[in-house]
Every structure is written in structure tokens, then in C-alpha cells.
Amino acid sequence: MSLTKADLASALFDEVGLNKREAKEFVDAWFETIRQALEDGDHVKLSGFGNFQLRDKNQRPGRNPKTGEEIPISARRVVTFKPGQKLRARVEAYAGSAE
Amino acid sequence: MTKSELIERMAGEQNHLSQADVELAVRCILEQMSRALSEGDRIEIRGFGSFSLHYRPPRMGRNPRTGESVALPGKYVPHFKPGKALRERVNEGASD
């Protein structure tokens, strides 16, 4: 099973009391606000959940796995997610109960 | 940007909601996301990315103070894979 924007919107409807339209807009605005901050070059820190960080990568040699041809992988900025202590602990607890 | 800055920014845009409602809603979203992962579910947000669990097998660790070996059990850790739209916007943001 996987959690989607629709699930988040229905939680906002059930638990916070937003109407359906407000809930859907809120979920869209939430992810858009995070995306915009990252696009602007800001790290995003959500205490208890984790941090979205940006890393600038230099150009490096790559290879087309199908043809074996060498092609450089251009320099780029990428997003990484570092889970927070609290989230790590909760996820580890799941692993414990599954075994 | 911290959680409280994010809440402020969203409250500024969602004028029909009180600051308190925005805070509640943000807390609700983060709790839903944390709970999904802690129950072993994935999170899939198109244009943003997906969260899933990666397994780390058991290994022998060492107590750095005593040098003693300790058996560390296998565990799951949260993993995020950015979606296409996020990857592209972040990378384009870098070249502006």
C-alpha cells in the first residue's frame, strides 16, 4: 500500500476539518512550498521528520550501459533527504515488530 | 527553511485559514507521512518524489569507547527518491 496526496487530503478533512477543496489545495500547496524553497536553493528542515538538503555535484565520467559509449554526466544540483532521529526511531520500531 | 517558516509562508498564501489551522494541518500531514513509513508503507507524490524503506542487514559493530564487538540487528531506514519535476526544478534553480 502507498500513501498518496488523496490520502493526505482526506486526513485533513477528517482530522482538521478542512473542506474537501481546501484539503486538496492545502496538500498541493504544501509540496509546492517545499519544492519552491529547494528550487530557490534553500534547505528545508522539518524537525521530527527530516531535512531536505541540496548537493552540488561536479561533472563526472559516465557510460551508456547499453552501448558502452562514454558520455560525461554533467554537473548538477540534487536533493537528498536525511531522516530525523524521531522518524528513524519509528521506522526501526516497525522493523522490530515485523521479525 | 524551517517548519515554522514553512507554516508562515503557507499561512500567508492560504488566507482563508487561520495560523492555528495551518499549524494543525502541517502537523497532520507530517504525522500521516511518518505513520505510513513506520507501518512499512511507501509514500508516492507525483512531481515531488517517493519515500520508501531500505533494509540494512545485521552487522557487527564496535563500541568505540571499549573496542568491544556488538551484534547490530538488521533495520529499516527511510529513503527519499526525488521525482522528475523536483529534480528538474532544483537543477534549473542552480543554474539561474
Side-chain angles (χ1 to χ4, degrees), chain B residues 1-83:
Chain B
M1 183 169 71
T2 60
K3 196 195 299 181
S4 45
E5 287 165 348
L6 214 163
I7 288 169
E8 263 174 51
R9 209 170 287 188
M10 289 196 65
E13 288 166 15
Q14 312 274 307
N15 288 321
H16 53 292
L17 299 180
S18 68
Q19 171 101 5
D21 277 348
V22 172
E23 277 173 38
L24 270 181
V26 163
R27 207 180 311 157
C28 176
I29 288 177
L30 287 172
E31 174 54 26
Q32 291 293 321
M33 292 175 70
S34 300
R35 186 186 306 161
L37 290 171
S38 70
E39 291 172 356
D41 290 335
R42 294 168 55 85
I43 304 171
E44 284 180 23
I45 310 295
R46 183 154 313 165
F48 185 80
S50 60
F51 296 86
S52 59
L53 299 186
H54 279 187
Y55 183 63
R56 297 276 177 268
R59 62 188 177 89
M60 290 304 288
R62 207 173 270 280
N63 180 332
R65 211 165 349 182
T66 63
E68 221 176 317
S69 290
V70 274
L72 297 173
K75 64 175 182 180
Y76 285 90
V77 293
H79 176 77
F80 175 66
K81 184 170 189 290

Side-chain angles (χ1 to χ4, degrees), chain A residues 5 45 71-72 77:
Chain A
K5 289 203 291 187
K45 297 188 198 176
I71 28 170
R77 177 175 289 176

Side-chain angles (χ1 to χ4, degrees), chain A residues 14-91:
Chain A
D14 292 337
E15 293 174 26
V16 184
L18 304 194
N19 71 37
K20 296 254 160 105
R21 185 181 49 81
E22 288 170 337
K24 185 182 178 297
E25 280 178 11
F26 194 92
V27 172
D28 284 335
W30 164 255
F31 290 108
E32 177 54 24
T33 306
I34 298 174
R35 254 192 317 248
Q36 187 62 51
L38 293 169
E39 179 180 346
D40 294 343
D42 287 336
H43 295 197
V44 177
K45 297 188 198 176
L46 303 173
S47 67
F49 187 74
N51 299 343
F52 294 95
Q53 296 167 334
L54 296 166
R55 293 177 71 98
D56 288 312
K57 306 260 205 173
N58 291 325
Q59 177 176 309
R60 61 191 168 92
R63 196 179 284 279
N64 180 331
K66 231 176 292 187
T67 63
E69 189 191 354
E70 268 205 50
I71 28 170
I73 297 170
S74 57
R76 63 192 62 201
R77 177 175 289 176
V78 298
V79 181
T80 59
F81 175 69
K82 195 160 180 298
Q85 280 294 332
K86 226 163 141 188
L87 179 61
R88 277 174 176 271
R90 285 181 70 173
V91 164

